Amino acid sequence: MKSQSQIIKEIDEKQDAILSNLNFESIVVYSFLKDEYTKGNILSNFVFQFVFRSYYRLDNAGLSDEIKSRFFELLSEKQIDLKTILSELHKIPTLKGKKTIQFSFATKLLHTIDNNKPIFDSEIAKLIKSKQDGSDKETKICSCLKIYDFLKELYAKLKEDYKIKKVISKFRTKFKVDDEKISDTKVLDFIMWSLGKLKKEKQNSVKGIGDCSGKK
């Protein structure tokens, strides 16, 4: 896993590009979801569910309707045990008939309930150089729990670093949001996600240089 100092250095050096890579729409939609969730009754709030599925790409992940229904039930129940969430979602097959570990979506569920919990996704995985592994349900879940513990500890340390605090402050100034609207954890998530995107785009552009076959 990448060290805390390496991540701080990258964020500090690329802070302008990181913030430029983010847009107001993402912040506005996130704020909408946060506000709607606090109103309660999300199982009957189909606008919330539709926007949530679109924003977090649940509809693009090959999930069955049964998985998505169970996901919102767990969210409504305020289930905050990651192992339980992963186990519950694993019980239901995807559209391809497979039972899978939905680590990223589970962390998005946790973050919606508690905005101080970090989110794990493919961009964060690349950034911290860590991903779920294992050959069976139990080892996969154990892997997820270890990664999430690392991520929570990493975020806690990053939020205490003065360089990161400055970038978080710049984010708040640019997008006009205080810590009541968006937590420091979510601001850091936006920053980390954006950095991961930038690194991915750079890697893809390098791969394309001098390739006459047309393949990427």
Side-chain angles (χ1 to χ4, degrees):
M1 295 186 185
K2 187 175 286 189
S3 71
Q4 173 189 337
S5 59
Q6 287 175 300
I7 293 173
I8 291 172
K9 185 173 183 290
E10 286 191 84
I11 291 175
D12 183 47
E13 291 177 347
K14 300 174 182 176
Q15 57 182 280
D16 291 337
I18 286 170
L19 296 179
S20 296
N21 195 41
L22 294 166
N23 59 63
F24 277 96
E25 183 180 285
S26 295
I27 282 78
V28 170
V29 175
Y30 171 81
S31 298
F32 168 81
L33 290 171
K34 181 173 180 275
D35 291 343
E36 287 297 301
Y37 180 72
T38 59
K39 293 177 183 178
N41 297 319
I42 64 165
L43 294 181
S44 59
N45 187 341
F46 299 112
V47 173
F48 168 83
Q49 292 187 35
F50 175 80
V51 176
F52 191 103
R53 294 198 317 269
S54 176
Y55 186 72
Y56 286 120
R57 299 184 178 277
L58 268 72
D59 289 339
N60 301 89
L63 304 181
S64 62
D65 289 340
E66 290 79 10
I67 293 179
K68 287 182 272 191
S69 293
R70 185 63 182 130
F71 178 93
F72 285 112
E73 286 173 3
L74 292 166
L75 183 57
S76 177
E77 294 164 8
K78 299 187 187 303
Q79 176 56 254
I80 58 171
D81 183 73
L82 178 56
K83 186 175 182 179
T84 299
I85 297 167
L86 293 172
S87 297
E88 286 296 308
L89 297 179
H90 182 271
K91 293 177 182 177
I92 310 168
T94 63
L95 291 175
K96 291 184 177 180
K98 296 181 178 180
K99 292 183 178 181
T100 55
I101 301 297
Q102 297 296 333
F103 183 28
S104 177
F105 292 134
T107 64
K108 289 163 184 172
L109 187 158
L110 288 173
H111 175 80
T112 305
I113 297 170
D114 181 353
N115 302 156
N116 291 309
K117 295 282 181 68
I119 289 173
F120 180 87
D121 59 21
S122 59
E123 305 305 334
I124 302 299
K126 291 187 186 76
L127 196 57
I128 66 173
K129 294 185 177 179
S130 182
K131 62 181 181 179
Q132 166 199 315
D133 59 20
S135 56
D136 57 72
K137 174 191 169 185
E138 294 307 320
T139 55
K140 287 178 180 177
I141 288 179
C142 183
S143 169
C144 293
L145 297 179
K146 287 179 180 178
I147 293 170
Y148 202 56
D149 283 343
F150 169 81
L151 194 62
K152 287 187 288 185
E153 185 177 344
L154 174 65
Y155 270 52
K157 290 178 179 177
L158 290 176
K159 286 186 294 181
E160 290 302 312
D161 183 84
Y162 77 97
K163 290 181 179 178
I164 300 301
K165 285 182 177 181
K166 284 184 177 181
V167 182
I168 289 175
S169 179
K170 281 188 177 182
F171 176 100
R172 294 196 180 285
T173 300
K174 177 175 181 177
F175 295 106
K176 299 177 176 61
V177 288
D178 57 27
D179 56 6
E180 296 237 343
K181 288 186 177 180
I182 299 181
S183 67
D184 280 352
T185 298
K186 183 54 189 175
V187 173
L188 183 55
D189 176 69
F190 275 121
I191 290 167
M192 296 272 280
W193 178 90
S194 180
L195 176 58
K197 270 287 188 186
L198 290 171
K199 289 172 71 69
K200 182 179 179 180
E201 289 167 5
K202 183 178 180 180
Q203 289 168 356
N204 288 342
S205 65
V206 169
K207 287 178 182 177
I209 294 174
D211 185 356
C212 299
S213 67
K215 294 180 181 179
K216 300 290 185 183

